[in-house]
Amino acid sequence: MQINYRSFMLRAFFAVCIPLLAVTSTLAWGPEGHRDVAVIAEKNLKPETLAAIKAMFGPYDTLAAESTWADDIREEHPETGPWHYIDIPLSAGSLDMKRDCRDDNCVVGKIHEFEAVLGNKAADPALRRDALKFLVHFVGDLHQPLHCEDNGDQGGNKVQVMFFGQPMNLHAVWDSGILHREKYYGLKLAAELNSRITPAEKAAWARGSTEDWAMESHALAVRLAYGKLPHESTPNLGDDYFNAARPVVELQIEKAGIRLAGILNQVLP
């Protein structure tokens, strides 16, 4: 596959004017959630995989530290925006790459692309390093339900709600609102989530394809993210919604961490 992000290596010569896209908040999990995914992944890497990552990043860098890089560069590189999600119609019962991911320009297509780059030892080391950073982030994105659906509202960004009395949009609730109402979040939450994952769960979650995992997230968007919304002009989300969503958010972060580790253990060193 032709790598279409070579501009990252040619920034000094990047003179093509790219029209700015209408950018909305389509971050997944927020910085804390992405770091949680990365921490869980790092704790489940083979020693040789971890050594290969240290060789690429440097001895003091971590997956968690690089987990938000793909969001950090979006203003400079708006062409990467569609790489963070896949627009599977909310009413669809299956994924159609021709319909939902034209030219592989979506999170599913990019995960496949960057897996191939990272696994190619003959590739430019800088490109492999960027591929690793994209993978760390995009596997997290794939597990946020609102990144795997299309309901004509920009992934819930246009759905205004009240979340425990605070005005938010539905996407922001799933990005960070639910996590921020946890008893604690960040590294402490990641450690707790990782500690309760069983060997049987690791084996079960490793099965399936990237496309299967996208449909798993899509089903959660249908059943929970939208399915549990109160029928009000501005839905008021409180304990009932939070108590239904919280364990799902935790489970999706756990799955993302384990699946990211599985991908990296397979393609590295």
Side-chain angles (χ1 to χ4, degrees):
M1 178 181 296
Q2 179 67 35
I3 299 171
N4 59 8
Y5 59 97
R6 188 167 179 76
S7 61
F8 293 111
M9 311 315 304
L10 301 172
R11 286 171 187 163
F13 306 99
F14 193 75
V16 178
C17 182
I18 299 173
L20 289 177
L21 304 178
V23 178
T24 56
S25 174
T26 52
L27 312 181
W29 302 132
E32 299 88 0
H34 275 293
R35 293 187 189 111
D36 290 341
V37 170
V39 168
I40 292 170
E42 200 161 79
K43 290 180 179 295
N44 289 276
L45 294 176
K46 297 176 181 178
E48 58 268 30
T49 303
L50 184 57
I53 291 171
K54 293 293 184 184
M56 295 175 72
F57 280 168
Y60 303 110
D61 205 351
T62 64
L63 294 183
E66 298 291 353
S67 64
T68 60
W69 175 84
D71 279 338
D72 297 338
I73 66 167
R74 283 178 63 174
E75 184 174 352
E76 182 181 357
H77 292 282
E79 73 276 15
T80 67
W83 301 2
H84 293 251
Y85 56 87
I86 180 169
D87 282 334
I88 308 168
L90 195 66
S91 60
S94 62
L95 187 158
D96 182 334
M97 289 293 282
K98 290 183 179 179
R99 178 194 64 203
D100 308 330
C101 186
R102 293 181 182 178
D103 301 319
D104 288 334
N105 198 37
C106 74
V107 68
V108 172
K110 290 302 173 182
I111 286 174
H112 288 312
E113 179 178 336
F114 292 127
E115 277 187 67
V117 174
L118 185 59
N120 181 5
K121 295 182 181 179
D124 185 315
L127 293 181
R128 292 185 77 207
R129 187 165 56 249
D130 279 359
L132 174 56
K133 291 189 282 188
F134 276 125
L135 274 175
V136 171
H137 189 88
F138 290 162
V139 173
D141 281 346
L142 185 75
H143 287 77
Q144 209 271 47
L146 294 180
H147 277 244
C148 294
E149 59 81 24
D150 177 18
N151 197 36
D153 55 22
Q154 295 182 348
N157 278 284
K158 290 185 175 181
V159 179
Q160 297 302 311
V161 302
M162 296 295 291
F163 187 63
F164 288 94
Q166 298 296 317
M168 301 180 76
N169 65 61
L170 185 63
H171 199 105
V173 169
W174 282 83
D175 278 349
S176 56
I178 294 166
L179 275 174
H180 285 178
R181 287 196 68 86
E182 287 272 12
K183 181 172 57 179
Y184 44 76
Y185 56 88
L187 295 180
K188 191 174 182 181
L189 176 61
E192 178 175 317
L193 295 181
N194 184 67
S195 70
R196 69 192 195 191
I197 300 171
T198 68
E201 286 173 329
K202 292 181 183 180
W205 297 343
R207 301 188 191 109
S209 64
T210 305
E211 289 81 358
D212 293 331
W213 303 340
M215 283 307 298
E216 202 175 74
S217 291
H218 179 270
L220 293 172
V222 174
R223 177 177 62 82
L224 181 54
Y226 286 93
K228 294 291 186 181
L229 281 179
H231 298 292
E232 303 166 349
S233 57
T234 302
N236 190 9
L237 308 183
D239 286 329
D240 288 346
Y241 194 89
F242 173 73
N243 290 335
R246 173 186 172 181
V248 171
V249 166
E250 293 179 350
L251 182 61
Q252 288 299 96
I253 288 174
E254 292 170 0
K255 287 181 175 181
I258 294 302
R259 288 167 175 169
L260 174 59
I263 290 171
L264 299 183
N265 283 332
Q266 185 174 7
V267 300
L268 287 175

